[in-house]
Amino acid sequence: MAVKRDDDFFWEGIDQGKLLVQCCSGCGKLRHPPRPMCPHCQSLSSESVEMSGRGTVYSWLISKHPTQPDVEPRTVVLLDTEEGTRLVGNMLAGETVKVGDRVQFAVGEFRGMRLPMFTTKGA
Amino acid sequence: MNLNGNTAIAGIGQTEFSKESGRSELQLAAEASIAAIRDAGLTPADIDGTMTFFEDTNDELQLANTLGIQNIRWMARSKGGGGSACATIQLAASAVASGAANAVLVYRAFNERSGRRFGQPPAASGPVQRDLHLAMGLDTPAKIYSLWYKRYMETYGLTNEDLGHYVVTAREYAATNPAAWYYEKPITLADHQESRWICEPILRRLDCCQESDGGCALIVTTRERARDLAQPLVPILGAAQSQLWNGDIMFDYYRDDPGEFPEAADVARQLWQVTGLSPSDIDVAMLYENFSPIVFMMLEAHGFVPRGEARDFVKSGQLRIDGQLPTNTNGGLLGEGYIHGYNNMTEAVRQMRGMAANQVKDAETVFVSSGRSAMILGRG
Ligand SMILES: [Zn+2]
């Protein structure tokens, strides 16, 4: 039997257009990145819960290839979801942000990969 | 860890720092190691312990067989990349303090520029797999660390130009250090501001360390032994490590405030406590800077200046040779070379011996930090 990675559910969610975060079945705390045990109550049971998709930009940068500065720059964001977890995502192509901006979850693609992306539109 | 000055760094050695060494990493390790062993006044047969980074490609036995080390009784590696540079000295000092070894060779050597470059994304050489960080574009250290540098800069209102004052200072030191890659090549703030963005709006090209080929080595032994060897005594007054819950050496995004660098605060607290020294007792600082913003974060987290005041401290020239805290006097990792923080440790020893290219007059203490580990060296 293939061993599942701890973050498989996250990517299955992304493929279904959902932002899923791990929630401890023992104490109800959210945790991200996904881990096999709750660091607060040591429970091994967890479920994934869907986030509203609303969040606030905590940090950001424009990522460029170090030796090809103009190739596909991306805005990478570190954001706090309104439910209180922090995660890394990208802004939809061409969007820039500043710290404190409100953003909304939107799945996007980069080089054929579906990734968690965000937009300021409608947020 | 309270070492009470009972252990010491008795020898240092290094190769030249270049962009293309033209020889194997094992040869670089052997050249740096034999230089350190001879500097101490020892022979390879006197070495009975080895210590390096987990990431070093040089196998201990291959190096021992190359150098002629006869009997290794203690062998260990340290986890955590450049952040554990001072941890390698702490571990070696623990070994000699406990009697597990008499003299430990601490080494690091690589072709980090002509071989595998840390600064290039792994994606360049293979397919990208989805994960929580690399796939999002965080595929080089410059980008990975910039998300927490940005938090620091946002909190205290620093711009990239503020970082430039540190870079100009480091390049001043490098300009008068013949071992530095940027020897005789000082820059102005305008040069810094004209270099291209690597991570907008955080890092420009000149904020990044110099990917280098080369090797460094140090010999750690007891104070008793070191006192009878070839060099002036450089005791290890204290050494500390810190890894705190929910931290991460690279993707350190998930704690309350990554910009505060709590591990750097913790190693300093430990060192002030065990040595009885305080920041005002420190004559020289050697601070691991893979990228310029970390110097500001460390100055504050270590307690050299209050939170938010590093910007003005650096801008007013306090890191210069005539300032309050001469810092990275070899030019640092972005002026001299990037040997994973080891070249800042060899410089610290030179400062204590009074033989650095940019010698701080009457220096008696040096605070050496790689962020998540640190040490204080003194004079015999
Ligand atoms: Zn729990």
Side-chain angles (χ1 to χ4, degrees):
Chain A
M1 189 177 82
V3 176
K4 289 196 94 174
R5 291 192 342 182
D6 293 325
D7 62 351
D8 277 351
F9 75 89
F10 181 85
W11 298 108
E12 287 161 13
I14 295 300
D15 288 338
Q16 294 162 17
K18 296 176 182 169
L19 183 60
L20 300 180
V21 168
Q22 194 178 23
C23 180
C24 175
S25 305
C27 70
K29 286 200 169 75
L30 296 172
R31 66 177 188 263
H32 186 84
R35 292 192 179 116
M37 180 182 281
C38 173
H40 305 289
C41 75
Q42 289 71 45
S43 170
L44 290 166
S45 308
S46 67
E47 54 203 50
S48 57
V49 295
E50 186 172 0
M51 301 288 102
S52 69
R54 287 186 290 275
T56 306
V57 174
Y58 186 69
S59 187
W60 63 277
L61 59 84
I62 298 176
S63 169
K64 302 174 181 184
H65 190 287
T67 53
Q68 300 165 272
D70 302 321
V71 175
E72 302 178 87
R74 289 198 265 177
T75 303
V76 182
V77 286
L78 181 61
L79 59 94
D80 289 327
T81 66
E82 69 174 3
E83 293 85 355
T85 49
R86 190 173 291 160
L87 49 87
V88 175
N90 285 177
M91 295 302 292
L92 287 179
E95 286 196 40
T96 56
V97 286
K98 58 186 190 305
V99 172
D101 280 357
R102 295 177 66 87
V103 293
Q104 175 68 43
F105 174 66
V107 172
E109 287 203 1
F110 184 84
R111 291 187 198 157
M113 284 185 300
R114 296 194 93 184
L115 296 174
M117 296 206 180
F118 294 83
T119 178
T120 53
K121 296 190 181 69
Chain B
M1 182 184 185
N2 192 349
L3 295 161
N4 284 320
N6 290 330
T7 58
I9 298 177
I12 53 172
Q14 63 193 43
T15 65
E16 84 288 359
F17 308 138
S18 75
K19 298 293 181 187
E20 188 165 16
S21 73
R23 49 209 199 275
S24 70
E25 294 184 333
L26 182 58
Q27 182 168 341
L28 296 174
E31 288 180 22
S33 297
I34 195 63
I37 292 166
R38 287 177 177 153
D39 178 66
L42 296 170
T43 70
D46 295 313
I47 302 298
D48 62 355
T50 65
M51 180 75 214
T52 186
F53 283 163
F54 183 75
E55 296 86 353
D56 196 274
T57 64
N58 296 296
D59 179 82
E60 290 84 343
L61 299 190
Q62 292 302 319
L63 181 60
N65 293 343
T66 300
L67 285 164
I69 293 172
Q70 300 296 308
N71 182 347
I72 298 177
R73 300 191 300 146
W74 185 87
M75 183 167 81
R77 288 191 174 217
S78 172
K79 168 79 181 151
S84 74
C86 295
T88 63
I89 301 295
Q90 184 207 31
L91 290 163
S94 306
V96 298
S98 73
N102 286 320
V104 178
L105 168 65
V106 185
Y107 66 93
R108 179 74 175 114
F110 54 17
N111 284 321
E112 201 275 311
R113 181 59 177 77
S114 65
R116 166 80 184 94
R117 295 177 64 179
F118 293 0
Q120 291 293 305
S125 57
V128 177
Q129 193 183 9
R130 283 198 301 189
D131 73 348
L132 296 168
H133 303 118
L134 271 69
M136 309 290 185
L138 299 173
D139 54 7
T140 69
K143 303 176 196 176
I144 291 164
Y145 291 118
S146 282
L147 271 188
W148 38 294
Y149 299 155
K150 172 67 179 159
R151 275 310 306 177
Y152 169 77
M153 294 166 73
E154 185 81 18
T155 302
Y156 298 111
L158 276 77
T159 64
N160 175 264
E161 185 175 316
D162 292 321
L163 307 179
H165 291 284
Y166 167 71
V167 180
V168 169
T169 303
R171 293 288 298 271
E172 274 175 19
Y173 282 124
T176 50
N177 169 15
W181 176 252
Y182 282 129
Y183 179 51
E184 295 181 330
K185 293 192 182 80
I187 59 161
T188 63
L189 190 59
D191 294 332
H192 175 266
Q193 287 297 291
E194 284 159 17
S195 69
R196 72 171 171 83
W197 285 115
I198 300 297
C199 282
E200 193 178 347
I202 302 131
L203 300 178
R204 294 180 183 275
R205 189 177 66 80
L206 293 179
D207 292 301
C208 304
C209 63
Q210 282 306 303
E211 290 181 293
S212 306
D213 291 5
C216 289
L218 304 95
I219 308 299
V220 174
T221 188
T222 61
R223 179 195 185 95
E224 287 293 293
R225 188 100 200 279
R227 206 170 43 194
D228 298 332
L229 294 178
Q231 300 294 339
L233 185 64
V234 179
I236 303 165
L237 303 181
Q241 299 186 46
S242 177
Q243 306 293 346
L244 300 174
W245 180 74
N246 221 20
D248 191 278
I249 288 162
M250 301 192 85
F251 307 106
D252 193 17
Y253 308 144
Y254 302 101
R255 62 199 337 165
D256 286 346
D257 189 348
E260 297 287 299
F261 206 172
E263 287 83 2
D266 187 44
V267 289
R269 257 194 313 271
Q270 294 181 50
L271 289 174
W272 304 135
Q273 190 178 8
V274 299
T275 62
L277 298 170
S278 68
S280 60
D281 295 318
I282 299 300
D283 297 322
V284 188
M286 297 300 304
L287 308 178
Y288 182 101
E289 19 72 289
N290 42 4
F291 304 99
S292 62
I294 202 77
V295 170
F296 297 74
M297 295 165 72
M298 286 161 107
L299 285 169
E300 295 176 12
H302 289 330
F304 290 109
V305 293
R307 295 278 182 187
E309 294 186 14
R311 173 181 58 185
D312 293 340
F313 190 74
V314 172
K315 191 175 180 177
S316 66
Q318 303 307 328
L319 305 191
R320 293 202 168 96
I321 194 101
D322 57 352
Q324 279 183 49
L325 186 69
T327 295
N328 295 349
T329 50
N330 56 351
L333 307 183
L334 55 79
E336 186 185 56
Y338 180 77
I339 311 298
H340 227 160
Y342 270 53
N343 51 316
N344 280 0
M345 299 198 297
T346 53
E347 170 72 1
V349 173
R350 284 190 294 269
Q351 284 290 349
M352 290 301 92
R353 291 182 184 173
M355 52 170 281
N358 299 303
Q359 180 62 44
V360 176
K361 195 165 173 291
D362 301 326
E364 293 188 347
T365 53
V366 56
F367 187 99
V368 192
S369 174
S370 34
R372 291 163 185 272
S373 65
M375 63 181 173
I376 300 177
L377 306 180
R379 294 176 65 153

